Each structure stands twice: as structure tokens, then as C-alpha cells.
């Protein structure tokens, strides 16, 4: 069969009136006046946010610097110490009180997050019947000025500090010191935890200090409780932190190690320096050195001192069981960072974590080249009992992951560096703005890695339709904690990721999309965008009104059903062409890819823009030529989310 690789211009014969040309007798629920209504954006330009999606000249954002000093007891699993928070109020409002997040209180028996989990139901986020009861034990809260002891209340995962004197607007500052402790849960909602190995316990530590809530220009204090599914919304600042752990432990963190000579052996320091200059993985601590006195300093404990600037969070891991390797990361403009992996002996080998640093290096270099340069000094991959969780400069991945599974989870978690670590969206409300964006980026990265080593066969989108658009499907714009847990993958990950693929591949094109996406990242790096800032930036930078797409795909759960309803001929006595009638039967619209095959076997495609559905539910296309058609197919590659592919094809009897 001869396939003509050309796009044939469509000749519009008739623009039928909505709802339907009576002769077509087509049943449809499609309403172009709803989908293409110009009434979409809920607010005009403000002093802080521009109509084009960029921060306005009056944009402000508060900040929080942290000085943290804690100790780890490997036997009781207790983490104890203190944090001093230096908070800067850049808003135009005086603040009479402060709100802080106490996320470890989620694991307190009787807490709101645990109570909402059904008994007997398996959940990533915990078990309502679990015996463990953790949470913060706050022993002291002080204002570091003349006020001294603070007046505060704790409500579940939030703390309010009521101030004797307001924090002044436009740059006013306040310093708060808190003494605290908590027991790290063995499995902390797949975000932190403890994994037992023959070589020792692996402590993956996160949500380990009281953190400031965000006070922003959209709603003031963001105090939504931590309930498990909704992740985090955090201010940016600088972190100086010290972790005292058993001397046999290696402590890794998302930051620069400031006292290398005090905590590393001479051999480890030498190897680490070699890794900083090597594109190939260099071993820092070999498997043969585990539990060997020569591979650790003498004494009971060591204090590891780290620093990370301009970040929204920090995290760390500690274990005597860590094998440790590293390699150089090459960044745009000649800058460098360091990729590192730590894992137990049971996870070693080239089919498993022995390639982790290679995967990490690739992910950071790829995303830096495509979208925005990596900002942190290190990228650390930690093997433990956490399936996959991200923090600035460090991620936790499952110790049992291998080959393509390990590559995918590594690439996904480090992809979160860009969303939400660089672009600081509100994960508590809009989880799709990090998970969906990241899923989209991962789909491109998978094709690129090592000449397609782990590239999957193209997914038949029809198999995903019941999952994405079935009766139980939920809207993307719902808050994560409002979603059924079974729908989180669809609503937060796959559907928004798929939507961005459609924009890139079929609606805007690669060049316009990539430029707009990079513009969004650059505009909102280390800031707090809303969904509307994203929508407006994409439209302005790409030069396209996409309100119909945002409305149908993100705000609503509209279904797409394109169908061929009829094929007739223009002047059958003197064949001048074929008239193909296509209908939009459901509420969503998309561009149309129309493939046809003539009697002689010639094939061609017509690409029709989404605007054909601006004012009609049935559209007629003239295909010029003297030959009759044998076959006509809508979307032959199954690129679009059509819920009924059976009516996408016409075949001459």
C-alpha cells in the first residue's frame, strides 16, 4: 500500500449550525458556547500578579531561615534538638500571629490524619489501627527578643504563636527558637521511615523540624492540615543544620557538607574529591568496608554540619549500612554538582543500585539542559523503605527497585527538583502542579536515556480511558486529600501529564510549548504560582487562547468522542471529491487528525484545528479527488483521549 507522507489542506464545505444539522440526525451533548466561553479567568491583574501570568511589580514573598541542631538515637529512634527560625515579613501587612507546620503530629494516634483513614483499608498514608503513636514533643517555644517565652497553641499538625508585638510589614523580622523531639515512625506515610538491614538500620528523615506556613497574597496564612495525600507548601530560605549520629553512620543530606575533614576518613575524602572530577561513578565507601573500624572515626558520635541556601526544605538519611558512590554532574554554563547514592549491600550490583548514580547524573543533566539549571550542590539518592519521595538535593527510593523501575523512580523523584522545589506551587491544594508536570517531563526523559534503553512501547491510550475518564474519575483541580486514593494516580499524575503531552505534540507544537514551559519555570523559580499564573503564562508565551483546554481538561472532567457520521460525494455523476461529516458527540473538543484511503490504496492525512468546533457539533470536510474513498479514520495513531474509538472509522461496504 502506497502511503503518501503529506498533509492535505482541508476544504471547508459547510459549517453546520449548532446543535446539529437536521439531516445528520446525530445525538450529541456538545455545547461550543460552554467550552469556548471567554468567561474563564476569575480575577483581573493585581499588584502582585500580572494578566500575562508573570509576577507583577508589587509581588512579595516572605522567607524563613533555619538553624537546626539535632541528635539521632538509633536505638529509640528518637530525634531531638532545637530549631531557630528567622522569619522575614515582606508583605504589606503587620502579622499579629504566626502559623507553623508540625507534620510529625500526623503520626500521633488520635490525630486528624489518622482518624480519617478507614480501619482495615490499606493506604500509602498509614493505618488507623496502627499501634504507633508519634508526633512532636515541644518542650520550649521562645521569642528571641525581650518577650521571651511565647504564647502558643497546638492544633493537630499546626502551631499558632500569638505575638505580643506584631511583625512589622515590608521587611520586619522575628526569631523563634523551639526545643523538640519525636520518634521517627518505621513507615511514615511513604515520606520518611526506618528500614532494617543486616548491616544496620537506614533512617530516612523528613518533616523533622517545625516549619513555617506560607503567608501569601492569595489567601494569607495557608494552614491546611497535613492529612497524608496533600503534600507541602513552604517558604524559601537558607538552612544551616547539624546532625549528631553514631560514629559508625554515614549521614547524607541535601546540602554542602561543611566539616568534611571531621567526619570522613582520609580515604573517603580523597575518593570524594576524585568523584567531583569524574563522569564515571567512583566508590566512596565499598561494601567490603561496612562495619570495619577503619571506615569510620573513633568515638560514640559524630556531628555532620550541612548548609543549603535558597531552598524550601531539607532532609537527610543516616546509616551504618550505607555503601556510598558518587560522580560529577555537568551543568549549563560550566557549573558542576555532585551525584551520590547510598544503599545497603543487599541493593548493590549493576542490575540494581550500582547504577543509581548514573541515573541520577543523567536526570539532573537532562532536565537542566531542557528546562532550568539545577540549583543545589548535590543530588543524593537514598535506598530505603520509602517507595519514592523528593526533597531539595536528596530523594528516597525503594531499596528493592531494579533496572527500569529504579531508573523511573529516580528520574521521577529528581524531576521534582523543578516542581515543586524550584517552582514552589501549593502542593497541599494543587498536587497536579508538581506530580502532573513531573510525569510529563519523565515521559520525555525516558525516551532520551541511553539511546532508549528503557523506552517502553507506545501506550494504547484506549486502555487508559476507563481509568482517566470512567464513572469514578475525579477532576484534576480537586485537592489531593479530596480525591479517592485510587484516583490519585489518574488525577494528579497521568491525566495532567497526558494533557501537557497533547499541548506539546498536537495543539501548540514542540517549539512553542517548550518556550512557554521554560518561561513559566523561569518566571516562577523560587516563587509561589497559582494555576491561573501557569495558564496565563502558557497562553501568553505560546500565543494561543487555551481557555477551552484548561476548562475541559483541568477544571472539568469533560469527555471526548469524535465520530465519522457520513461520507458522501460531491456531484457523483462527475466525481469532484468526497464529503466527510465528523461529529463531536461529547463535551470536550480537540483538533482532528483525519486519515483517508482511496480506492487505489493511496493514503493521506488532514489536520484540522480545534476551531472547527467553535460553533458547531458537526463539521463537513471536502476531500478533493476523482477517486472514491475506501477508508476514513479519525485519529489513526490513537493520540487523543477518545472514549469510543469504534465510531472513529468509516469503511466502504
Amino acid at each position: 500500500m502506497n502511503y503518501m507522507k503529506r498533509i492535505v489542506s482541508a476544504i471547508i464545505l459547510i459549517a453546520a449550525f449548532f446543535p446539529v444539522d437536521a439531516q445528520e440526525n446525530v445525538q450529541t451533548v456538545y455545547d461550543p458556547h460552554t467550552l469556548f466561553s471567554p468567561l474563564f479567568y476569575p480575577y483581573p491583574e493585581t499588584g502582585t500578579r500580572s494578566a500575562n501570568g508573570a509576577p507583577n511589580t508589587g509581588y512579595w514573598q516572605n522567607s524563613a531561615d533555619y538553624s537546626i541542631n539535632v541528635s539521632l538515637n538509633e536505638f529509640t529512634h528518637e530525634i531531638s534538638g532545637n530549631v531557630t527560625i528567622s522569619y522575614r515579613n515582606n508583605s504589606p501587612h503587620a502579622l499579629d500571629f504566626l502559623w507553623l507546620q508540625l507534620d510529625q503530629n500526623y503520626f500521633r494516634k488520635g490525630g486528624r490524619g489518622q482518624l480519617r483513614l478507614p480501619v482495615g483499608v490499606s493506604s500509602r498514608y498509614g493505618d488507623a489501627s496502627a499501634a504507633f503513636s508519634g508526633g512532636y514533643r515541644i518542650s520550649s517555644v521562645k521569642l528571641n527578643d525581650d518577650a521571651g517565652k511565647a504564647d502558643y497553641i497546638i492544633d493537630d499538625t499546626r502551631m499558632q504563636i500569638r505575638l505580643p508585638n506584631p511583625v512589622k510589614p515590608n521587611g520586619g523580622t522575628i526569631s523563634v527558637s523551639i526545643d523538640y523531639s519525636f520518634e521517627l515512625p518505621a513507615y511514615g506515610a511513604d515520606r520518611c521511615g526506618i528500614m532494617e538491614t543486616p548491616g544496620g538500620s537506614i533512617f530516612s528523615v523528613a518533616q523533622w523540624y517545625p516549619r513555617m506556613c506560607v503567608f501569601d497574597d492569595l489567601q494569607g496564612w495557608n494552614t491546611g492540615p497535613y492529612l497524608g495525600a496533600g503534600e507541602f507548601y513552604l517558604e524559601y530560605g537558607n538552612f544551616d543544620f547539624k546532625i549528631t549520629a553514631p560514629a559508625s553512620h554515614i549521614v547524607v543530606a541535601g546540602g554542602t557538607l561543611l566539616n568534611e575533614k571531621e567526619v570522613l576518613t582520609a580515604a573517603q575524602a580523597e575518593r570524594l574529591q576524585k568523584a567531583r572530577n569524574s563522569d564515571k561513578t567512583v566508590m566512596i565507601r565499598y561494601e567490603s568496608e561496612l562495619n570495619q573500624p577503619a571506615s569510620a572515626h573513633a568515638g560514640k558520635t559524630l556531628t555532620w554540619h550541612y548548609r543549603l541556601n535558597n531552598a524550601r526544605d531539607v532532609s537527610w538519611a543516616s546509616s551504618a549500612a550505607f555503601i556510598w558512590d558518587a560522580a560529577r554532574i555537568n551543568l549549563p554554563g560550566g557549573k558542576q554538582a555532585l551525584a551520590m547514592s547510598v544503599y545497603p549491600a543487599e541493593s548493590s550490583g549493576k542490575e540494581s543500585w550500582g547504577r543509581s548514580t548514573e541515573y541520577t547524573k543523567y536526570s539532573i543533566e537532562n532536565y537542566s539542559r531542557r528546562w532550568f539549571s539545577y540549583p543545589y550542590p548535590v543530588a543524593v539518592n537514598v535506598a530505603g523503605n520509602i517507595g519514592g519521595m523528593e526533597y531539595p538535593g536528596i530523594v528516597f527510593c525503594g531499596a528493592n527497585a531494579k533496572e527500569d523501575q529504579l531508573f523511573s523512580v529516580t528520574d521521577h523523584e529528581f524531576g521534582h527538583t523543578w516542581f515543586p522545589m524550584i517552582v514552589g506551587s501549593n502542593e497541599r491544594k494543587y498536587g497536579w502542579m508538581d506530580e502532573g508536570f513531573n510525569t510529563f517531563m519523565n515521559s520525555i526523559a525516558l525516551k532520551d536515556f541511553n539511546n532508549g534503553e528503557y523506552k517502553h512501547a507506545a501506550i494504547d491510550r484506549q486502555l487508559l480511558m476507563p481509568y482517566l475518564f470512567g464513572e469514578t474519575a475525579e477532576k484534576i483541580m480537586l485537592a489531593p486529600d479530596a480525591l479517592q486514593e485510587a484516583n490519585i494516580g489518574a488525577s494528579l499524575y497521568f491525566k495532567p501529564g497526558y494533557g501537557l503531552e497533547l499541548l506539546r505534540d498536537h495543539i501548540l507544537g514542540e517549539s512553542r510549548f517548550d518556550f512557554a514551559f521554560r518561561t513559566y519555570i523561569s518566571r516562577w523559580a523560587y516563587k509561589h504560582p497559582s494555576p491561573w499564573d501557569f495558564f496565563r503564562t502558557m497562553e501568553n508565551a505560546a500565543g494561543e487562547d487555551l481557555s477551552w483546554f484548561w476548562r475541559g481538561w483541568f477544571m472539568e472532567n469533560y469527555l471526548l468522542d469524535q465520530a465519522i457520521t457520513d461520507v458522501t460525494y460531491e456531484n457523483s455523476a462527475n466525481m469532484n471529491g468526497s464529503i466527510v461529516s465528523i461529529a463531536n458527540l461529547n463535551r470536550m473538543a480537540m483538533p482532528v487528525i483525519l486519515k483517508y484511503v482511496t480506492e487505489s490504496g493511496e493514503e493521506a492525512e488532514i489536520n484540522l484545528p480545534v476551531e472547527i468546533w467553535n460553533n458547531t457539533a458537526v463539521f463537513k470536510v471536502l476531500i478533493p479527488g476523482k477517486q472514491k474513498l475506501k477508508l476514513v479514520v479519525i485519529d489513526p495513531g490513537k493520540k487523543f483521549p477518545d472514549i469510543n474509538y469504534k465510531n472513529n472509522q468509516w469503511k466502504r461496504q
Side-chain angles (χ1 to χ4, degrees), residues 474-603:
E474 296 177 279
K475 298 175 183 178
I476 290 174
M477 284 290 282
L478 288 175
D481 290 307
L483 293 166
Q484 296 291 320
E485 191 168 338
N487 290 333
I488 286 176
S491 296
L492 299 189
Y493 292 72
F494 298 111
K495 190 178 178 186
Y498 182 15
L500 296 190
E501 287 183 41
L502 290 173
L503 282 178
R504 187 176 194 256
D505 296 341
H506 303 291
I507 297 172
L508 296 176
E510 183 176 316
S511 178
R512 284 202 294 162
F513 179 92
D514 287 4
F515 175 79
F517 203 56
R518 284 192 291 267
T519 299
Y520 171 68
I521 297 172
S522 178
R523 282 178 172 180
W524 290 98
Y526 315 109
K527 297 180 179 69
H528 298 315
S530 74
W532 313 108
D533 299 315
F534 170 67
F535 297 155
R536 285 171 153 158
T537 293
M538 294 299 293
E539 290 187 3
N540 277 263
E544 194 80 24
D545 181 357
L546 297 168
S547 58
W548 64 273
F549 185 79
W550 311 131
R551 178 183 286 111
W553 196 266
F554 286 87
M555 307 300 296
E556 304 292 342
N557 202 33
Y558 289 170
L559 306 182
L560 178 72
D561 186 7
Q562 299 175 334
I564 298 174
T565 59
D566 196 17
V567 175
T568 59
Y569 298 102
E570 175 75 2
N571 193 353
S572 299
N574 183 21
M575 183 68 182
N576 291 324
S578 306
I579 302 171
V580 178
S581 297
I582 55 178
N584 209 31
L585 303 181
N586 223 297
R587 290 181 169 84
M588 191 58 179
M590 286 286 171
V592 175
I593 302 172
L594 195 68
K595 174 186 174 181
Y596 64 86
V597 182
T598 68
E599 284 183 313
S600 65
E602 291 187 344
E603 301 180 9

Side-chain angles (χ1 to χ4, degrees), residues 98 120 131 133 241 259 285 323 334 336 407 424-425 555 574 599 641:
L98 308 175
S133 184
F241 55 109
N259 62 337
R285 192 190 195 203
I323 299 169
Q336 296 178 352
F407 171 82
S425 54
M555 307 300 296
N574 183 21
E599 284 183 313

Side-chain angles (χ1 to χ4, degrees), residues 147-184:
K149 187 177 180 181
D151 178 16
Y152 68 94
I153 64 165
I154 294 175
D155 182 81
D156 199 56
T157 60
R158 291 103 21 121
M159 171 194 285
Q160 185 188 52
I161 301 176
R162 297 164 179 174
L163 304 174
N165 301 299
V167 187
K168 294 180 180 179
N170 303 315
T173 60
I174 190 171
S175 176
V176 180
S177 292
I178 302 173
D179 296 334
Y180 68 96
S181 64
F182 67 94
E183 182 182 346
L184 187 70

